[in-house]
Structures are given as C-alpha cells and as structure tokens.
Amino acid sequence: MIRPPVAAGETSAGVVLRRALRRQRGRVLAGTLLLCLHQVTEVLVPVAIGVIIDRAVATGDVRALLLSLAGLAALFTVLAFAYRTGARLAYAAVEREAHAVRVEIAGRALDPRGHRSGMRDGELLSVTASDAELSALVVRVAGLSAAAITAIVVAAVALLVVDVPLGLGVLVGVPLVVVALQRMAPLLTRRSASQQEALATTTALAVDLVSGLRVLRGIGAQDHAARRYAATSQQALGVTLRAATTKGLHAGLTTTVNGLFLAVVAGVAGWLALQGRLTIGELVAVVGLAQFIAEPVQTLGYCVQLFAMARGSAGRVARVLGAAPVVRPGTAGPPDPSPSRLVLDSVGYAGLDGFSLRVDAGEVLGVLAYDPSEAEALVALLSGRVPREDHRGTLYVDGVPAEDLHIDALRGAVLVEQHDVALFEGTLRDNLAAGADVDETVLRAAVRAAAAEDVLDAHPQGIDRQLTERGANLSGGQRQRIGLARALVADPPVLVLHNPTTAIDAVTEAYLADGLASARGTAGAHGTAGARSTVLISSSPALLRVTHRVAVIDRGRVVAEGSHEHLLASDARYREEVLR
C-alpha cells in the first residue's frame, strides 16, 4: 500500500526518536518500572548488610540474623526477577522498533513514486541494516537512564538517612558529573553520524561493484574498481577510528570521574566513622552505596554514548522517511480502453523536444532512436518516473492524462520492461509469476514465446529451478528472456520493451521476435479498442520486422514513420543504423 506523501521537514531525528518511544510505550514503561525496581533492590543490598551487622551480628542475636538472611534472600529474588523481566521487555522493545523502522524504510524504498532522499541502493541497505537498529536504541536509553537516576536518588536518600551532609554531597555531586559528561554528547553525535554515513557510502560502492562485476571484468577495470573501493574503505576506517577515539575518551573520563567521586565519598565516610558519627554497619552501608553509585553514574555516561549514536542514525532514517516522492500521481482509476492506447503530445524532456507519438490499440510499434539518450528519456516518461514539473506536454493513457491516474492504474495500464532485467532470489516460477496466482500453462506459454525454453530444459528442476540473487546463475541473455516472459505473463494493455535482446544471439532473437508478435497479437485486430499494444524501442532488425509501424526519433522528434520494409528501402540512414 502506498503511504501518503511526507511533507518536507516533517520528519527529523527528534521526530523519529520520539515516535519510537510512543510506539513502544507499553514495553518501555513496563521494562523501565522493572529496571527501576531492580536498581532499588540493588541499593537496598548494602543498606540491608549494614543493618544486619548492627542489629544481628554486633548484638549476637541469632533469631534476628536468621530473619535478616531470609529477608536478604527475598531481596535478591526480587532483584533477579526484576532485572530478567525488565531487560527482556527492553530488548524486545528495541528489536520490535528496529523491525518497524526497517519495514518503513523498505516500503519507502519500494514506493513506486520514488523518493528524493538522494541515497543509492547501497546506502539504503546500510540505513535499513544498521541505522534502523541504532536509532531504536533510544528505547533502551530511556529505560537505562530512568533506572540509573532512580538508583542514584534512592542511594542519596539512604545516605541522607545515615548522614545529611553526605547525602547532600551525593545529590549535588552526581548531577554535576552527569552534566560535565553530557558536554561531549554533540561531538559524539557528529562522529557517530559521520561514521554511519561513511559506512553507508562504502556499502553503496560495494553493491555497485558486485552488481557490475561481470562488466568490470569484461572491460578489464576490476583493478581500478578494487583500488577505488580500498580508498573509500580506508576513508571509512579513518572516520570509524575517530568515532571510536571519541567514545573511548568519553568512557575513560566517565571511569576517572566516577572513581574520584567514589574515593571522595568513601573517604568522607571513613573520616565520619573515625569521629564516631557512623557505626560499623553504617560505614559498611555507606562504602557499599558509594561503590554502587559508580555503576549508575557509569550507566548514565554509557547512555550519553547510546543516545548520540541513536540520534545520528535517526537523522539518516529521517532523511529516507521524510524524503518527498519523485512523482505525485493522481487519483483516477483504470481508464476505459480507447482506439489510441498511448499518445504523447508535444512532450519536452531531456533530449526530447516537441515530441509527439501515437500508439494505436492492437499495434506493435517499433521505435528507433538515433541517440540512445533520447530512447532513455522516452522510457523514463512511459514508466512514470519523471515528475510532472520536469517535462512539458502531456502523456495520455487511453485518453486520460497520465498525471491524473492513480499510480496503480498507470502501472496496470503500461508496463515498461528494461533491458537490464531485475530477477530475484527464488525459483523461476516465482520470478515469472511475480507473486500472482498464475496457471502453469500460462507460464510455459510465455516462456515459449520468449524463446526461453532452453533455460528450463537446461536444469533438472525446470521451472522450479532456484535462482540466486539478481539471477546471477543465469547468463545475460537468459535473464533478458526470463524478464520478457515475466512481462508476457503480466499481459498488460500496453507493454513497452527497451532493447530486450541486447544479450541474445541472432538466431534466438528471431525466434523471440516471432513469439512476441504472436503472443501480443492475439487480443484483437490492429485498431480495435481494447486490443493490447506493444512498443519495441530497439534497433534490432529482427524485432523491427515484426512491427506494424516504426517511428524514427532524431534530435528529439519523430522524423520518419512507416513499415520496417518501407524505411529500409527509402531511408539510407535508417538502413545504415539497422543493418550495421
């Protein structure tokens, strides 16, 4: 389902973090309460030991000692249960939020309207795999921070009961320590964001190189590509090391300040004991509390790091989720079939200038562009990837302006199959059916029309043959034919094929051309409203010969039209371009 457009600036790092807390508020609240209970029981352990020393050990009261030990056992039981359950809820909240963010990013990346995030596929992969998880850490920060603050407050109250000046010292000193450590948070955020961005760039380059590995090897550029990746990876390493240095410095300062604070509290408690103001049990309790306070202070320092990482990654998540769509389609449903399935009226975009073209119902139209960039521009327009403000003129689909159609209606009416076919990991059957419930007879008929029967026959599993990622275990020509078969299975009213045979040998190409003409010519006569239309954007003579008409594009306009045979006989440049 397509989500409504996101207004520019509506999503920010803060919005992503606050939304995570709201979305997981039930688990966050329950987990935080249990973690706070755990910290309260942790604080009570040294207090209980001090009380036991003064009221049972020092007095020699066996009954009081047994009762005290039973109470201590109950205290540890509550402590263990609270931590185990609270931590489980906290981690579950983090993972559920990370999952929700990953699904949102995937939906944004797959949105047929496109997005203006400016990120490449590899960067989106990094945001989905890494930043989604890191941004969700704000859920953990909330629980840990609340628990640490609870521990410090309860410990300070316990110290106030023992000695007011000592308790006040802790209540004043701890906030000062936390504020001092917080001063490094902006630097940590910047370094974490830079680290994630550098890693995303490296991932994007790796994805590009892997997907184009065969081409790189074919032109002998693999060494240059490897050096480029090494340089980018080295840069990412430098950024990562700077981030690690900052985190290490922050951790070191936290530990140092924590240790000094502990030494001061323990020293003051020892001096008070020497003055006779504290009993042995109270001294043990104070020293235990002073040692314990080191843990929540350390936790608060750790939370500063986690929040910095979460905020940096949340900014990158917000960049994807808040990106405006490339195109803003209309709301009209599927149009009624008309005698002219496609009409481009005085269109101007990229290399096209005042370009006009008509595709009749039932027609197989060939398009030959002397400049390949003009063919690319036409494909982009027909696929609905060009924002309305970026082109002049109008594209009509069955008499309705394309920008007025809902994107599902537009994609249902016009299917554009690129020559660079995208196949997915799974079986051939899954790739051909593309998620629809299609009869096997239809699948095999499409495979036959696409001259791809050898792809099935070459493997024992046939149509249930497993494909690896991007169909890498098929040749380029096999991928193209399977992609064409998939398009034929979809059976759209208008099918646009862009150079569908660039990786196919001449003999197979001839069979494919005949099969394509037969498969797309069975829905009605040429010119009959409702009949399916096909646009072949190609310079292949085998494909152009099965068309009803060929339109020749030069300098952004249609300069010649006619049958393939007529143009071969009458147009020297057409003949040279097609037969070379």
Side-chain angles (χ1 to χ4, degrees):
M1 186 178 73
I2 301 171
R3 292 180 175 80
V6 180
E10 182 177 322
T11 304
S12 64
V15 170
V16 170
L17 297 178
R18 289 192 295 273
R19 188 189 58 174
L21 293 173
R22 285 197 306 271
R23 193 153 52 186
Q24 304 298 326
R25 58 184 176 274
R27 292 183 180 84
V28 170
L29 180 60
T32 300
L33 289 176
L34 287 170
L35 289 175
C36 289
L37 176 60
H38 165 258
Q39 290 297 290
V40 170
T41 53
E42 286 268 27
V43 172
L44 293 178
V45 169
V47 173
I49 292 174
V51 170
I52 291 172
I53 289 174
D54 281 345
R55 299 188 179 182
V57 176
T59 61
D61 189 336
V62 176
R63 184 172 178 277
L65 181 60
L66 293 175
L67 290 174
S68 298
L69 291 177
L72 198 60
L75 186 64
F76 272 102
T77 300
V78 174
L79 182 152
F81 172 79
Y83 177 76
R84 180 173 180 175
T85 308
R88 180 188 299 168
L89 288 171
Y91 278 108
V94 170
E95 294 305 323
R96 286 178 179 273
E97 178 60 24
H99 168 71
V101 174
R102 284 193 293 268
V103 170
E104 287 181 329
I105 295 173
R108 207 72 180 89
L110 295 173
D111 191 333
R113 299 171 304 171
H115 56 86
R116 297 182 183 273
S117 69
M119 292 186 174
R120 293 181 290 169
D121 291 346
E123 291 178 290
L124 286 172
L125 177 63
S126 178
V127 173
T128 306
S130 178
D131 290 298
E133 187 80 30
L134 291 176
S135 67
L137 288 178
V138 68
V139 173
R140 188 178 178 199
V141 170
L144 289 178
S145 299
I149 293 171
T150 299
I152 292 170
V153 171
V154 174
V157 170
L159 289 172
L160 281 171
V161 173
V162 174
D163 187 86
V164 173
L166 194 61
L168 290 175
V170 172
L171 284 173
V172 173
V174 170
L176 291 177
V177 170
V178 173
V179 169
L181 294 174
Q182 184 68 25
R183 301 288 294 179
M184 290 189 69
L187 178 60
L188 284 167
T189 299
R190 290 196 300 272
R191 292 287 172 86
S192 295
S194 298
Q195 178 187 6
Q196 291 300 109
E197 187 170 350
L199 292 175
T201 300
T202 304
T203 303
L205 180 58
V207 170
D208 292 343
L209 293 179
V210 170
S211 61
L213 189 57
R214 290 189 178 184
V215 176
L216 291 171
R217 286 174 175 170
I219 63 177
Q222 65 268 26
D223 292 337
H224 172 74
R227 287 193 297 271
R228 181 184 172 195
Y229 178 78
T232 304
S233 182
Q234 183 67 35
Q235 182 180 2
L237 174 62
V239 173
T240 301
L241 290 176
R242 285 195 293 273
T245 299
T246 305
K247 293 175 185 176
L249 177 61
H250 183 267
L253 286 174
T254 301
T255 302
T256 301
V257 173
N258 208 11
L260 291 174
F261 186 74
L262 169 62
V264 170
V265 173
V268 171
W271 181 79
L272 291 175
L274 291 175
Q275 296 297 314
R277 291 172 54 183
L278 297 180
T279 65
I280 297 299
E282 289 173 334
L283 176 62
V284 170
V286 168
V287 173
L289 288 171
Q291 288 179 323
F292 169 76
I293 287 175
E295 179 183 334
V297 173
Q298 190 87 19
T299 299
L300 287 176
Y302 177 58
C303 286
V304 171
Q305 288 192 20
L306 283 185
F307 184 76
M309 294 167 60
R311 187 172 182 81
S313 289
R316 290 171 52 75
V317 170
R319 180 179 165 188
V320 177
L321 298 183
V326 175
V327 294
R328 296 182 182 275
T331 58
D336 295 328
S338 69
S340 294
R341 308 299 316 242
L342 282 181
V343 175
L344 289 92
D345 183 18
S346 301
V347 170
Y349 171 69
L352 303 178
D353 184 17
F355 179 82
S356 296
L357 184 68
R358 185 191 75 258
V359 183
D360 291 331
E363 182 178 26
V364 179
L365 173 69
V367 176
L368 173 63
Y370 291 143
D371 185 344
S373 67
E374 294 172 2
E376 294 282 354
L378 178 59
V379 169
L381 281 167
L382 296 178
S383 63
R385 292 186 281 111
V386 181
R388 183 65 186 89
E389 61 271 17
D390 288 355
H391 72 84
R392 303 184 305 278
T394 306
L395 166 64
Y396 294 93
V397 179
D398 282 323
V400 180
E403 61 264 24
D404 293 344
L405 293 173
H406 189 278
I407 196 161
D408 290 339
L410 178 59
R411 296 294 169 87
V414 182
L415 171 62
V416 177
E417 181 68 36
Q418 302 273 14
H419 64 88
D420 184 14
V421 177
L423 298 180
F424 306 96
E425 187 174 357
T427 65
L428 272 172
R429 184 191 303 274
D430 293 337
N431 275 271
L432 291 168
D437 185 12
V438 183
D439 187 84
E440 184 160 338
T441 303
V442 175
L443 297 179
R444 292 190 177 275
V447 170
R448 185 166 52 254
E453 290 179 297
D454 62 300
V455 181
L456 275 60
D457 296 339
H459 197 276
Q461 291 179 305
I463 199 169
D464 292 312
R465 174 182 182 178
Q466 284 287 333
L467 299 186
T468 57
E469 185 180 1
R470 294 178 177 268
N473 55 337
L474 299 180
S475 68
Q478 289 174 327
R479 285 197 298 273
Q480 281 191 330
R481 286 179 285 153
I482 292 299
L484 176 57
R486 180 176 58 191
L488 293 176
V489 169
D491 196 27
V494 179
L495 174 61
V496 180
L497 300 175
H498 182 213
N499 290 332
T501 59
T502 53
I504 298 174
D505 64 86
V507 174
T508 305
E509 186 179 39
Y511 282 116
L512 184 151
D514 291 334
L516 176 62
S518 176
R520 294 294 295 175
T522 57
H526 179 194
T528 303
R532 294 170 300 183
S533 300
T534 307
V535 180
L536 297 175
I537 304 174
S538 175
S539 61
S540 163
L543 292 178
L544 295 176
R545 71 175 173 81
V546 301
T547 63
H548 295 108
R549 175 169 59 100
V550 178
V552 181
I553 304 175
D554 187 26
R555 297 183 181 179
R557 300 194 176 194
V558 175
V559 296
E561 289 185 82
S563 68
H564 174 60
E565 291 76 12
H566 172 73
L567 291 173
L568 279 177
S570 62
D571 191 323
R573 186 176 180 188
Y574 178 86
R575 184 167 55 248
E576 179 184 355
E577 187 73 21
V578 171
L579 300 181
R580 64 180 176 180

